[in-house]
Amino acid sequence: MLVNSKEIVMKELLDRYIDQLHMKCTCPICKNDVLALSLNQVKPSYVTDKKKIAYNKAELVDKQKNTAMLVILAESAAIVSAGPGDNCVTKKREEQKS
Amino acid sequence: MLVNSKEIVMKELLDRYIDQLHMKCTCPICKNDVLALSLNQVKPSYVTDKKKIAYNKAELVDKQKNTAMLVILAESAAIVSAGPGDNCVTKKREEQKS
């Protein structure tokens, strides 16, 4: 296996704090856009076995690192909310109505 | 979908130049170790749709970017060859023999 452990950490943080991020839309498309924007801003941390993921997930307990990543998530959420992608479910629904 | 397009580019480069990298072992474990080491050194480029992957793969045509990434792969291959991981298939086989 080959996985960027930051991907797992960010996904978990996003799910945990989704309500506080005040996103305009929380469809899977928008959530992935927020994750992509956020992950492009943090140093990747690829690992090749499951044990090392656990080690990286332990960082979630570190309040300081946690806050730094939450700031990145919040900034990305604001960008996506300001201009959701063309495939955003809410956006498509609104276009169909009009 | 959410994918680091560098992952795809690196995998393709590794497969294309595997013979020139003179790795001691090319089992899937060692290949993944080389990819993880390499990907941790390049800026991630997460995308959320397939079209953007194609755009990033187009970078493979750019000789200069290509060379920079091959240097990173070669350095990682040297590190892994010098000390293969505990799960390396060749290493395990040798240990069983002795």
Side-chain angles (χ1 to χ4, degrees):
Chain A
M1 67 171 294
L2 177 71
V3 67
N4 182 3
S5 61
K6 293 279 169 68
E7 214 176 298
I8 293 152
V9 170
M10 279 288 192
K11 273 181 191 164
E12 200 154 309
L13 272 179
L14 180 60
D15 283 332
R16 199 187 289 178
Y17 293 99
I18 191 98
D19 294 331
Q20 280 96 311
L21 292 173
H22 304 294
M23 285 169 68
K24 201 174 150 190
C25 164
T26 53
C27 76
I29 304 287
C30 285
K31 276 171 79 177
N32 270 350
D33 281 342
V34 170
L35 287 171
L37 278 174
S38 304
L39 285 164
N40 285 342
Q41 284 178 69
V42 294
K43 218 179 146 349
S45 174
Y46 277 87
V47 291
T48 52
D49 74 58
K50 275 188 186 167
K51 283 180 212 152
K52 284 171 201 157
I53 297 180
Y55 183 78
N56 272 279
K57 269 177 96 173
E59 278 190 8
L60 282 170
V61 186
D62 182 332
K63 281 266 177 216
Q64 206 171 344
K65 280 189 185 162
N66 228 326
T67 311
M69 288 204 274
L70 263 176
V71 170
I72 293 171
L73 277 176
E75 285 168 352
S76 306
I79 293 169
V80 174
S81 291
D86 288 338
N87 293 320
C88 162
V89 178
T90 313
K91 195 176 168 183
K92 274 193 171 168
R93 209 175 289 148
E94 278 167 8
E95 279 170 357
Q96 275 171 347
K97 272 188 209 161
S98 60
Chain B
M1 68 172 293
L2 175 72
V3 66
N4 182 2
S5 62
K6 292 280 169 66
E7 212 176 302
I8 293 153
V9 169
M10 278 290 191
K11 273 181 190 162
E12 200 153 310
L13 273 179
L14 180 60
D15 283 332
R16 200 187 288 178
Y17 294 99
I18 191 102
D19 294 333
Q20 280 97 309
L21 291 173
H22 304 294
M23 285 169 68
K24 201 174 151 191
C25 164
T26 54
C27 75
I29 304 287
C30 285
K31 277 171 78 178
N32 271 350
D33 282 341
V34 170
L35 286 170
L37 278 174
S38 304
L39 285 163
N40 285 341
Q41 284 178 69
V42 295
K43 218 179 143 354
S45 174
Y46 276 86
V47 293
T48 52
D49 75 59
K50 275 188 186 167
K51 283 179 210 150
K52 285 171 200 156
I53 297 180
Y55 182 78
N56 271 279
K57 269 176 95 172
E59 277 189 9
L60 282 170
V61 185
D62 182 331
K63 281 268 177 215
Q64 206 169 346
K65 280 190 187 163
N66 229 326
T67 311
M69 287 204 275
L70 263 176
V71 170
I72 292 170
L73 276 177
E75 285 168 350
S76 306
I79 292 169
V80 174
S81 291
D86 288 337
N87 294 320
C88 162
V89 178
T90 312
K91 195 176 168 182
K92 275 194 172 168
R93 209 174 289 147
E94 278 167 8
E95 280 170 353
Q96 276 170 347
K97 272 187 208 163
S98 59

